[in-house]
Amino acid sequence: MSTASDLSLPTSEHDDATSAARLNWLRAGLLGANDGIVSVAAVLVGVAGAGAGTGPVVAAGTAALVGGAISMALGEYISVSGARDAQRTGQAAEQAKLEADAEDAPALAAHYRSLGVEDSVADAVARELARPEVRRRRAEAALRDAEDEVVSPWRAAWVSAATFSVGALLPFLAMLLAPESARIAVTVTASLVALALTGTTGAVLGGARRGRAALRVVVGGALALAATYVAGALLGTHAL
């Protein structure tokens, strides 16, 4: 319930909302980086496992990086555009109005009393907030907050593409810079370490358990890399 702006009291709700939005962007960036690491590393390991030389490995990795970045950007653009379209249809305005109208004075007073506000003050505040004019302004403020949460589709697209590309560069560079005899092992190790770091960072941002979050990401990435290596090795043995 957001009522501090109606009472003209000092509040940090706007700062909290801004911080939450930034954390959401950071988490989205980490997810994009995870996708870049796993997707491109899997392609590189699979092609290298088939016994391909540096040229085919670079070509496959480049195709995976470019195609993956574009796919991520397109997916985010479509998703965010859909959310913005829903906002513009008036659904959010109607929901905000319904939520404001549903709060009667007794319910508001009970809410403030539960926060430790004195009965007389809670009753006075509740009566003020239940006035039609105040309810209208609260609904308008809620609608503005909802609209602010929907970011630009173009911004979401390029951020998604950028974070995917940054994540993809790590296994790409590991594969290119490592000695040919150890390039698969180096790429797998670098990728899993990077996934552990992004998983831990995401857990810190989300307040989750770090070890469990990192383990999930690392195990998932290891399974993907193992599967593509086996597929590449089988293809190299029987088809090349």
Side-chain angles (χ1 to χ4, degrees):
M1 181 186 306
S2 176
T3 58
S5 60
D6 298 316
L7 297 175
S8 299
L9 296 175
T11 179
S12 61
E13 288 184 4
H14 177 72
D15 293 338
D16 290 343
T18 301
S19 298
R22 289 174 178 170
L23 288 177
N24 287 335
W25 275 108
L26 287 173
R27 282 192 286 266
L30 288 172
L31 290 175
N34 281 343
D35 285 343
I37 293 169
V38 175
S39 299
V40 174
V43 170
L44 293 171
V45 168
V47 175
T54 301
V57 169
V58 171
T62 301
L65 192 158
V66 174
I70 293 175
S71 176
M72 290 286 292
L74 181 61
E76 282 297 308
Y77 180 84
I78 293 173
S79 176
V80 175
S81 294
R84 171 160 290 188
D85 290 343
Q87 291 284 4
R88 289 173 175 170
T89 62
Q91 294 175 4
E94 183 64 22
Q95 181 63 26
K97 183 178 183 299
L98 290 174
E99 290 178 358
D101 290 344
E103 295 175 336
D104 55 16
L108 290 168
H111 168 72
Y112 285 108
R113 281 194 293 270
S114 70
L115 298 178
V117 178
E118 294 183 1
D119 290 349
S120 60
V121 177
D123 291 338
V125 171
R127 285 194 299 272
E128 180 66 18
L129 293 178
R131 289 196 301 112
E133 175 63 19
V134 177
R135 283 184 174 180
R136 182 183 64 79
R137 289 192 287 111
R138 294 174 65 208
E140 291 173 351
L143 177 59
R144 288 194 298 270
D145 291 341
E147 290 178 341
D148 289 342
E149 291 177 358
V150 181
V151 299
S152 165
W154 287 109
R155 180 183 178 189
W158 76 256
V159 168
S160 181
T163 54
F164 180 94
S165 299
V166 170
L169 284 176
L170 177 71
F172 212 149
L173 292 175
M175 180 67 71
L176 293 179
L177 298 178
E180 187 170 350
S181 60
R183 61 184 183 181
I184 294 178
V186 170
T187 301
V188 169
T189 301
S191 299
L192 295 183
V193 170
L195 288 173
L197 291 176
T198 57
T200 301
T201 304
V204 171
L205 293 176
R209 295 179 60 180
R210 303 178 187 181
R212 178 178 296 178
L215 181 62
R216 284 197 298 262
V217 178
V218 170
V219 170
L223 291 175
L225 296 177
T228 54
Y229 174 77
V230 171
L234 291 174
L235 179 63
T237 299
H238 296 92
L240 296 182

Short mmCIF file of all heavy atoms in Angstrom, two decimals, residues 25 69 72-74 76-77 80 152-162:
data_model
loop_
_atom_site.label_atom_id
_atom_site.label_comp_id
_atom_site.label_asym_id
_atom_site.label_seq_id
_atom_site.Cartn_x
_atom_site.Cartn_y
_atom_site.Cartn_z
N TRP A 25 17.33 -4.83 -13.19
CA TRP A 25 18.18 -4.73 -14.37
C TRP A 25 19.45 -5.55 -14.19
O TRP A 25 19.92 -6.22 -15.11
CB TRP A 25 18.55 -3.27 -14.64
CG TRP A 25 17.52 -2.54 -15.44
CD1 TRP A 25 16.65 -1.57 -15.00
CD2 TRP A 25 17.23 -2.72 -16.83
NE1 TRP A 25 15.85 -1.16 -16.03
CE2 TRP A 25 16.18 -1.84 -17.16
CE3 TRP A 25 17.75 -3.55 -17.81
CZ2 TRP A 25 15.65 -1.75 -18.44
CZ3 TRP A 25 17.22 -3.47 -19.10
CH2 TRP A 25 16.18 -2.58 -19.40
N ALA A 69 22.74 -13.23 -29.51
CA ALA A 69 22.50 -11.86 -29.09
C ALA A 69 21.25 -11.29 -29.75
O ALA A 69 20.43 -10.62 -29.12
CB ALA A 69 23.72 -10.99 -29.42
N MET A 72 18.16 -12.94 -28.19
CA MET A 72 17.87 -12.38 -26.87
C MET A 72 17.24 -11.01 -27.00
O MET A 72 16.26 -10.68 -26.31
CB MET A 72 19.16 -12.29 -26.06
CG MET A 72 19.72 -13.62 -25.61
SD MET A 72 18.80 -14.37 -24.25
CE MET A 72 19.18 -13.23 -22.94
N ALA A 73 17.79 -10.18 -27.87
CA ALA A 73 17.26 -8.83 -28.05
C ALA A 73 15.83 -8.87 -28.57
O ALA A 73 14.96 -8.13 -28.09
CB ALA A 73 18.15 -8.05 -29.03
N LEU A 74 15.57 -9.73 -29.54
CA LEU A 74 14.23 -9.83 -30.10
C LEU A 74 13.23 -10.32 -29.05
O LEU A 74 12.11 -9.80 -28.96
CB LEU A 74 14.25 -10.79 -31.29
CG LEU A 74 12.91 -10.99 -32.02
CD1 LEU A 74 12.42 -9.67 -32.58
CD2 LEU A 74 13.08 -12.01 -33.15
N GLU A 76 13.39 -9.98 -25.77
CA GLU A 76 13.13 -8.92 -24.80
C GLU A 76 12.26 -7.83 -25.40
O GLU A 76 11.37 -7.28 -24.74
CB GLU A 76 14.45 -8.32 -24.31
CG GLU A 76 15.16 -9.15 -23.27
CD GLU A 76 14.34 -9.29 -22.00
OE1 GLU A 76 13.89 -8.26 -21.46
OE2 GLU A 76 14.13 -10.43 -21.56
N TYR A 77 12.52 -7.48 -26.66
CA TYR A 77 11.74 -6.43 -27.30
C TYR A 77 10.27 -6.83 -27.38
O TYR A 77 9.38 -6.04 -27.06
CB TYR A 77 12.28 -6.15 -28.70
CG TYR A 77 11.51 -5.07 -29.43
CD1 TYR A 77 11.83 -3.72 -29.22
CD2 TYR A 77 10.47 -5.38 -30.29
CE1 TYR A 77 11.11 -2.72 -29.86
CE2 TYR A 77 9.75 -4.38 -30.93
CZ TYR A 77 10.08 -3.06 -30.72
OH TYR A 77 9.36 -2.07 -31.34
N VAL A 80 8.73 -6.90 -23.64
CA VAL A 80 8.50 -5.58 -23.06
C VAL A 80 7.46 -4.80 -23.85
O VAL A 80 6.65 -4.06 -23.28
CB VAL A 80 9.82 -4.79 -22.97
CG1 VAL A 80 9.59 -3.37 -22.48
CG2 VAL A 80 10.80 -5.52 -22.04
N SER A 152 11.66 0.89 -21.69
CA SER A 152 11.63 0.99 -23.14
C SER A 152 11.96 -0.37 -23.77
O SER A 152 12.94 -1.01 -23.38
CB SER A 152 12.65 2.03 -23.60
OG SER A 152 12.91 1.91 -24.98
N PRO A 153 11.17 -0.81 -24.74
CA PRO A 153 11.49 -2.09 -25.41
C PRO A 153 12.87 -2.07 -26.07
O PRO A 153 13.58 -3.08 -26.05
CB PRO A 153 10.37 -2.23 -26.45
CG PRO A 153 9.24 -1.42 -25.92
CD PRO A 153 9.88 -0.26 -25.21
N TRP A 154 13.24 -0.93 -26.66
CA TRP A 154 14.54 -0.84 -27.30
C TRP A 154 15.67 -0.94 -26.28
O TRP A 154 16.69 -1.58 -26.53
CB TRP A 154 14.66 0.46 -28.10
CG TRP A 154 13.84 0.45 -29.35
CD1 TRP A 154 12.71 1.16 -29.60
CD2 TRP A 154 14.09 -0.33 -30.52
NE1 TRP A 154 12.23 0.88 -30.85
CE2 TRP A 154 13.06 -0.03 -31.45
CE3 TRP A 154 15.08 -1.25 -30.89
CZ2 TRP A 154 12.99 -0.62 -32.71
CZ3 TRP A 154 15.00 -1.84 -32.15
CH2 TRP A 154 13.97 -1.52 -33.04
N ARG A 155 15.47 -0.29 -25.14
CA ARG A 155 16.50 -0.37 -24.10
C ARG A 155 16.64 -1.81 -23.60
O ARG A 155 17.76 -2.31 -23.43
CB ARG A 155 16.13 0.55 -22.95
CG ARG A 155 17.15 0.54 -21.82
CD ARG A 155 16.71 1.41 -20.66
NE ARG A 155 17.66 1.35 -19.57
CZ ARG A 155 17.44 1.87 -18.36
NH1 ARG A 155 16.30 2.49 -18.12
NH2 ARG A 155 18.34 1.78 -17.41
N ALA A 156 15.52 -2.47 -23.36
CA ALA A 156 15.57 -3.86 -22.91
C ALA A 156 16.27 -4.73 -23.94
O ALA A 156 17.04 -5.64 -23.60
CB ALA A 156 14.16 -4.37 -22.65
N ALA A 157 16.03 -4.44 -25.22
CA ALA A 157 16.62 -5.26 -26.28
C ALA A 157 18.14 -5.13 -26.31
O ALA A 157 18.86 -6.13 -26.34
CB ALA A 157 16.03 -4.86 -27.63
N TRP A 158 18.63 -3.89 -26.29
CA TRP A 158 20.08 -3.75 -26.42
C TRP A 158 20.81 -4.17 -25.16
O TRP A 158 21.93 -4.69 -25.22
CB TRP A 158 20.48 -2.34 -26.86
CG TRP A 158 20.43 -1.24 -25.84
CD1 TRP A 158 19.49 -0.27 -25.72
CD2 TRP A 158 21.40 -0.97 -24.81
NE1 TRP A 158 19.79 0.58 -24.68
CE2 TRP A 158 20.97 0.18 -24.11
CE3 TRP A 158 22.59 -1.59 -24.42
CZ2 TRP A 158 21.66 0.72 -23.03
CZ3 TRP A 158 23.29 -1.04 -23.34
CH2 TRP A 158 22.83 0.09 -22.67
N VAL A 159 20.18 -3.97 -23.99
CA VAL A 159 20.81 -4.44 -22.74
C VAL A 159 20.92 -5.96 -22.76
O VAL A 159 21.94 -6.54 -22.38
CB VAL A 159 20.01 -3.96 -21.52
CG1 VAL A 159 20.48 -4.67 -20.26
CG2 VAL A 159 20.18 -2.45 -21.34
N SER A 160 19.85 -6.63 -23.21
CA SER A 160 19.87 -8.09 -23.27
C SER A 160 20.94 -8.58 -24.23
O SER A 160 21.70 -9.51 -23.93
CB SER A 160 18.49 -8.60 -23.70
OG SER A 160 18.47 -9.99 -23.75
N ALA A 161 21.01 -7.94 -25.41
CA ALA A 161 22.02 -8.34 -26.39
C ALA A 161 23.43 -8.08 -25.87
O ALA A 161 24.33 -8.90 -26.07
CB ALA A 161 21.80 -7.58 -27.70
N ALA A 162 23.61 -6.96 -25.19
CA ALA A 162 24.94 -6.60 -24.69
C ALA A 162 25.41 -7.57 -23.61
O ALA A 162 26.56 -8.04 -23.63
CB ALA A 162 24.93 -5.17 -24.15
#
